[in-house]
């Protein structure tokens, strides 16, 4: 009884404290969630994090790419993570004006940075407005400074490490929960068959691979599969390409080990170059000097790529490549490799591919065509 | 032969002497006002550079607790304000001060008149920014040396805009000169085990520790700066942590290096 009484008191004090806290902050909170009736959503979830886009609609970004793809991001942090992969293909970049909740040109918008307004995905918020006057009004209420797009993106890229660190503890708890959900509720399937976290989440949802899940649980299990299980499963496949953790693609600068399904490499006498897709490999192959390498194409001894179906490491010079399909790699449109011609043809039909190419049929022009 | 040697020594002396005098920004240490306190007050907390040496571009922030942080330039002030120590402490800033170069005294930066982009050299930037208390003096300076007269807000904005370009220039200088020099000195002169025990919050403090502990023997300021940069940026990995993901800076650095090489080639 005494204990109950005590815990009741504690609870009461706690509630009162929370209430006070909320009230005192009430005047100055910024909510990212959509309030208007018809948000523009090209998809339900973020292209990078697969988080619900509507939840943080006021910080959403949209990138329309030259190859026809449209990507939508829950916040600038995720655009920043993806920026290297898309920056040469951006046709139009849009951001939601936080006041009017509509997409506007991101390059000419005014950004309030370092204000007191809290946002979900970054320790330091960055909030966009089409009109400078609206940004100034926001500064009056929440403090902060007004910056242009370039500098704001610069801050976001610089904050990536900080923000990842910030969410790390939360993330680790999520993994444990995700593992439990997967073991208990899901059918067994290979998370490596997907090109992105978003594809994986959409497929689990559509095919009900884990039965009926709450939105939170669906996200948790998807993140676990993508960030943990995917790599655990790959280790069991002994024929997979071994990529050093720190290896960066010399063409786009991204870490190749994050995309084992797309890994490719060129072996020269001294060392090996790793790529996060055959497209980048071929760009490098045709013009190494463009990417700061002193190699010549003749020095490349071996080309190794990853078979899309089996994930085995195979000989790139003997492989069959499907071009212009509707399956995108981390760098967008790809040349997708297969060991057997039969597999390539099956894939071509299933995914609206336009051609199956042999290694020596690939030209530099054909490679750059993929980006348009 | 002996004469030749002496002549050489004399020349080197004049050259270094001239170099020191040529630095438009410098004042003798005893003439510089150091607003920050503590053992490490001589150095910019953001980059470690010697404050009297870059006195004429010096800025300081006064915090509500009465303490100051003093910077070699508006570049370093910007860096701490936008993405460093001061980023979440803006409410604690009581005032910002800048050196008025006509009197070499600190004045309220928000009331000062800056000349941006004159032919006088900048500190940590390719676009120099000097401040005056009086508008007439700023205009006079601009008439003689070129540049535009601006207020603090405009100048701060210009510093923000210059930021990635200037970081590229700095990276080029560091990687082609200071880091190499620092690494060499570190390997030759420093008690590495001792330095491993140092824990500093910023490079200015690290530099002070190296200086006062004599862990690398007797050094001049440039050597001390080079060693500090090597330890802070490279050995402790702070540069990579801060800017490793930023390819714009790296690209700017490459461009700057190319330009430097072309210029040297033309000479």
């Amino acid at each position: 009884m005494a204990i109950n009484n005590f815990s009741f008191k504690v609870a009461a004090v706690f509630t009162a404290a929370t209430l006070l806290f909320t009230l005192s902050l009430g005047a100055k909170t910024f909510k990212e969630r959509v309030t208007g009736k018809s948000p523009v959503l090209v998809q339900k979830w973020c292209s990078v994090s697969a988080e619900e886009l509507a939840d943080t609609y006021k910080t959403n970004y949209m990138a329309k790419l030259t190859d026809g793809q449209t990507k939508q991001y829950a916040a600038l942090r995720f655009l920043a993570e993806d920026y290297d992969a898309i920056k040469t293909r951006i046709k139009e970049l849009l951001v939601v004006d936080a006041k009017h909740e509509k997409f506007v040109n991101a390059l000419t918008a005014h950004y309030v940075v370092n204000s007191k307004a809290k946002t979900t995905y970054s320790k330091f918020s960055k909030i966009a407005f089409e009109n400078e006057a609206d940004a100034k009004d926001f500064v009056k209420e929440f403090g902060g400074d007004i910056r242009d797009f370039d500098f704001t993106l610069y801050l976001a890229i610089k904050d990536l490490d900080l923000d990842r660190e910030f969410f790390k503890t939360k993330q680790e708890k999520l993994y444990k929960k995700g593992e439990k959900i997967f073991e208990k509720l899901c059918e067994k399937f290979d998370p490596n068959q997907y090109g992105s976290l978003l594809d994986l989440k959409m497929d689990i949802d559509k095919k009900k691979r884990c039965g009926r899940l709450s939105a939170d649980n669906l996200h948790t299990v998807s993140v676990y599969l993508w960030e943990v299980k995917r790599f655990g499963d790959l280790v069991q496949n002994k024929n997979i390409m071994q990529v050093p953790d720190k290896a960066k693609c010399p063409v786009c600068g991204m870490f190749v080990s994050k995309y084992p399904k797309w890994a490719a490499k060129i072996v020269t006498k001294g060392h090996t170059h790793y790529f996060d897709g055959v497209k980048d490999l071929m760009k490098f192959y045709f013009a190494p000097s463009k990417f700061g390498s002193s190699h010549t194409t003749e020095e490349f001894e071996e080309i190794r790529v990853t078979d899309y179906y089996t994930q085995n490491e195979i000989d790139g010079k003997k492989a069959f490549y499907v071009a212009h399909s509707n399956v995108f790699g981390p760098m967008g449109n790809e040349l997708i490799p297969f060991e057997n011609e039969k597999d390539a043809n099956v894939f071509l039909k299933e995914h609206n591919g336009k051609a199956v190419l042999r290694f020596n049929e690939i030209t530099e022009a054909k490679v750059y065509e993929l980006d348009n | 032969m002996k004469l030749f040697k002496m002549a050489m020594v004399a020349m080197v002396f004049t050259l270094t002497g001239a170099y020191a005098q040529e630095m438009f920004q410098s004042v003798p240490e005893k003439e510089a006002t150091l607003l920050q306190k503590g053992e490490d007050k001589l150095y910019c907390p953001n980059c470690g550079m010697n404050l009297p040496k870059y006195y004429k571009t010096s800025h300081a922030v006064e915090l509500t607790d009465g303490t100051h942080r003093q910077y070699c330039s508006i570049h370093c002030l910007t860096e701490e304000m936008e993405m460093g120590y001061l980023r979440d402490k803006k409410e604690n800033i009581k005032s910002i001060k800048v050196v008025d170069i006509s009197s070499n005294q600190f004045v309220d930066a928000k009331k000062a008149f800056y000349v941006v982009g004159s032919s006088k050299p900048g500190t940590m930037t390719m676009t120099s920014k000097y401040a005056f208390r009086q508008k007439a003096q700023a205009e006079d300076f601009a008439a003689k040396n070129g540049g535009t007269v601006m207020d603090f807000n405009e100048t701060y904005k210009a510093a923000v805009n210059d930021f990635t370009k200037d970081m590229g220039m700095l990276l080029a200088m560091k990687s082609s000169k200071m880091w190499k020099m620092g690494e060499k000195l570190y390997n030759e002169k420093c008690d590495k085990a001792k330095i491993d025990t140092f824990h500093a919050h910023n490079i200015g403090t690290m530099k002070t520790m190296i200086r006062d502990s004599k862990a690398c023997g007797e050094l001049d300021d440039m050597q001390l700066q080079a060693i500090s940069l090597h330890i802070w940026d490279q050995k402790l990995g702070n540069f990579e942590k801060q800017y490793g993901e930023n390819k714009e800076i790296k690209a700017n650095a490459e461009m700057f290096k190319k330009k430097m090489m072309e210029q040297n080639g033309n000479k």
Side-chain angles (χ1 to χ4, degrees):
Chain A
M1 189 59 207
I3 293 167
N4 273 341
N5 205 350
F6 175 71
S7 60
F8 172 74
K9 264 186 197 160
V10 170
V13 168
F14 188 70
T15 325
T18 326
L19 206 70
L20 253 165
F21 188 64
T22 333
L23 282 175
S24 66
L25 279 174
K28 269 192 178 180
T29 47
F30 168 73
K31 294 207 174 72
E32 303 145 276
R33 211 188 143 66
V34 62
T35 58
K37 269 181 199 144
S38 48
V40 178
L41 299 169
V42 295
Q43 64 216 20
K44 196 166 183 243
W45 298 310
C46 171
S47 289
V48 168
S49 67
E51 302 270 8
E52 193 93 26
L53 288 167
D55 280 354
T56 58
Y57 188 67
K58 290 186 200 168
T59 59
N60 267 208
Y61 282 75
M62 191 189 290
K64 295 184 178 167
L65 305 181
T66 51
D67 57 15
Q69 231 185 323
T70 300
K71 289 183 155 191
Q72 192 166 343
Y73 305 96
L76 182 56
R77 179 180 149 207
F78 304 117
L79 170 68
E81 284 202 31
D82 209 23
Y83 195 68
D84 280 335
I86 63 166
K87 67 178 174 193
T88 57
R89 294 180 283 139
I90 296 175
K91 201 167 71 187
E92 210 183 343
L93 197 61
L94 304 164
V95 63
V96 170
D97 174 309
K99 189 178 177 194
H100 300 104
E101 296 186 35
K102 58 164 193 195
F103 274 104
V104 299
N105 184 349
L107 304 182
T108 54
H110 305 272
Y111 297 82
V112 178
V113 302
N114 298 343
S115 73
K116 273 179 277 178
K118 296 268 170 281
T119 50
T120 312
Y121 300 117
S122 179
K123 192 165 179 267
F124 295 100
S125 63
K126 303 160 188 82
I127 295 160
F129 299 90
E130 185 177 24
N131 302 316
E132 198 172 359
D134 293 339
K136 281 183 179 158
D137 285 347
F138 191 84
V139 169
K140 267 183 213 146
E141 200 174 341
F142 293 99
D145 305 294
I146 301 173
R147 297 279 168 259
D148 64 5
F149 174 76
D150 284 344
F151 193 77
T152 309
L153 176 69
Y154 167 75
L155 283 179
I157 292 175
K158 214 204 122 284
D159 285 347
L160 278 177
D161 276 349
L162 190 81
D163 286 335
R164 281 189 202 120
E165 199 61 32
F166 193 60
F167 291 94
K168 213 172 156 186
T169 36
K170 199 178 138 198
Q171 205 75 349
E172 270 154 18
K173 274 185 204 155
L174 215 66
Y175 292 155
K176 276 193 187 139
K177 202 176 154 209
E179 186 176 6
K180 267 190 198 158
I181 299 170
F182 181 69
E183 300 300 337
K184 278 191 184 158
L185 301 172
C186 304
E187 59 177 82
K188 299 294 163 262
F189 63 97
D190 176 14
N192 272 301
Q193 61 186 294
Y194 306 101
S196 70
L197 168 60
L198 180 63
D199 290 347
L200 180 144
K201 185 172 173 179
M202 279 172 19
D203 192 64
I204 296 177
D205 187 42
K206 203 172 116 200
K207 300 204 176 121
K208 299 272 173 290
R209 288 185 183 278
C210 304
R212 292 175 71 87
L213 287 179
S214 69
D216 275 355
N217 283 348
L218 172 64
H219 187 71
T220 305
V221 77
S222 305
V223 169
Y224 159 73
L225 287 170
W226 183 252
E227 285 171 13
V228 183
K229 181 84 167 130
R230 188 163 64 111
F231 298 99
D233 282 1
L234 279 171
V235 173
Q236 286 163 21
N237 178 355
K238 284 187 184 131
N239 302 320
I240 158 197
M241 187 178 297
Q242 300 299 330
V243 181
D245 278 353
K246 290 247 152 129
K248 279 186 179 178
C249 171
V251 175
C252 69
M254 302 211 292
F255 286 111
V256 178
S257 56
K258 281 189 189 168
Y259 307 95
K261 189 181 174 63
W262 302 93
K265 66 180 180 187
I266 293 180
V267 183
T268 69
K269 240 189 200 105
H271 53 271
T272 308
H273 295 283
Y274 294 89
F275 305 86
D276 53 358
V278 174
K279 180 170 68 181
D280 276 0
L281 180 145
M282 293 310 299
K283 285 181 184 175
F284 187 84
Y285 178 83
F286 287 119
S289 63
K290 237 190 214 175
F291 306 99
S293 169
S294 55
H295 290 294
T296 57
T297 304
E298 289 71 45
E299 285 168 33
F300 298 148
E301 294 181 345
E302 244 186 302
I303 311 281
R304 310 286 292 174
V305 297
T306 300
D307 183 293
Y308 186 78
Y309 282 153
T310 64
Q311 257 116 71
N312 290 337
E313 178 183 324
I314 57 172
D315 185 345
K317 290 193 174 163
K318 291 184 185 154
F320 298 84
Y321 298 90
V322 178
H324 297 281
S325 73
N326 59 11
V327 171
F328 293 106
M331 301 303 295
N333 226 329
E334 267 296 347
L335 289 159
I336 299 177
F338 297 89
E339 191 169 14
N340 305 314
E341 191 169 9
K342 211 181 97 197
D343 285 349
N345 284 321
V346 169
F347 182 87
L348 180 87
K349 270 185 211 139
E350 272 185 14
H351 293 283
N352 297 327
K354 281 197 189 135
V356 176
L357 300 170
R358 301 306 304 269
F359 184 80
N360 45 24
E361 290 170 339
I362 302 172
T363 62
E364 196 170 7
K366 279 181 190 166
V367 172
Y368 281 93
E369 215 172 83
L370 291 166
D371 289 339
N372 293 313
Chain B
M1 192 63 202
K2 208 174 178 185
L3 211 74
F4 177 67
K5 252 189 196 169
M6 268 173 67
M8 278 292 286
V9 169
M11 222 166 85
V12 169
F13 250 100
T14 8
L15 274 177
T16 43
Y19 178 70
Q21 268 174 7
E22 251 173 48
M23 286 260 300
F24 179 74
Q25 299 99 316
S26 307
V27 301
E29 204 172 310
K30 56 180 188 299
E31 283 171 32
T33 309
L34 295 174
L35 293 171
Q36 52 184 8
K37 299 273 179 288
E39 301 295 322
D40 51 359
K41 65 179 177 188
L42 197 57
Y43 306 124
C44 172
N46 188 57
C47 71
M49 293 213 301
N50 187 297
L51 292 170
K53 217 167 164 176
Y54 298 94
Y55 185 69
K56 290 189 180 178
T57 53
S58 186
H59 281 68
V61 162
E62 184 186 10
L63 298 166
T64 41
D65 64 4
T67 60
H68 283 83
R69 275 172 95 80
Q70 189 169 340
Y71 306 99
C72 68
S73 62
I74 197 166
H75 172 95
C76 282
L77 170 71
T78 312
E79 193 168 7
E80 283 224 332
M81 289 271 267
E82 297 289 332
M83 50 206 106
Y85 179 83
L86 294 173
R87 193 165 172 188
D88 45 10
K89 297 183 183 61
K90 287 204 181 151
E91 282 164 29
N92 304 339
I93 294 175
K94 208 161 124 192
S95 69
I96 299 175
K97 299 169 186 173
V98 63
V99 169
D100 158 34
I101 74 166
S102 63
S103 65
N104 285 345
Q105 297 299 315
F106 272 100
V107 297
D108 184 347
K110 302 244 166 111
K111 288 184 190 152
F113 300 91
Y114 284 78
V115 179
V116 177
S118 74
S119 59
K120 293 288 177 202
T123 304
M124 311 283 283
T125 179
M126 289 190 276
T127 314
S128 74
K129 299 164 187 82
Y130 286 100
F132 294 86
R133 194 167 57 89
Q134 285 172 10
K135 194 175 184 185
Q137 283 173 326
E139 283 166 348
D140 208 34
F141 184 84
K144 269 186 210 143
N145 303 297
T148 318
V149 178
M150 295 183 180
D151 68 10
F152 175 77
N153 285 338
E154 289 167 327
T155 310
Y156 188 88
K157 227 180 206 173
V160 167
N161 284 338
D162 289 345
F163 199 82
T164 34
K165 210 173 71 195
D166 287 337
M167 284 304 294
M169 181 268 292
L170 292 168
L171 174 59
M173 302 286 264
K174 280 177 173 182
S175 59
S176 63
K177 193 179 162 203
M178 289 303 262
W179 283 345
K180 280 183 191 161
M181 179 178 165
E183 187 175 5
K184 196 166 165 251
L185 284 165
Y186 173 79
N187 287 330
E188 282 169 5
K189 294 189 122 183
C190 297
D191 179 346
K192 297 174 187 73
K194 200 168 184 180
I195 289 176
D196 280 345
T197 63
F198 295 168
H199 289 287
H201 292 293
N202 65 56
I203 184 173
T205 313
M206 174 62 82
K207 188 173 172 182
T208 309
M209 287 171 163
I210 298 168
R211 181 193 67 192
D212 292 350
S213 65
K214 298 212 169 21
C216 306
E218 290 291 342
L219 301 166
D220 66 26
D221 185 65
M222 197 203 257
Q223 292 173 320
L224 191 58
Q225 177 69 11
I227 292 178
S228 307
L229 283 174
H230 169 63
I231 293 171
W232 188 259
D233 286 346
Q234 295 189 290
K235 275 191 69 68
L236 298 174
N238 284 315
F239 193 87
E240 190 65 21
K241 261 182 239 163
Q242 288 260 39
Y243 300 110
E245 301 263 354
N246 202 303
K247 283 221 267 311
E248 215 179 323
I249 289 178
K250 283 183 185 157
N252 288 340
E254 288 307 315
M255 248 162 55
F256 190 83
K257 268 189 199 168
K258 243 183 217 166
K259 261 191 214 157
M260 271 201 313
M261 265 156 68
E262 275 165 21
Q263 268 178 12
N264 288 340
N266 289 341
K267 265 179 196 169

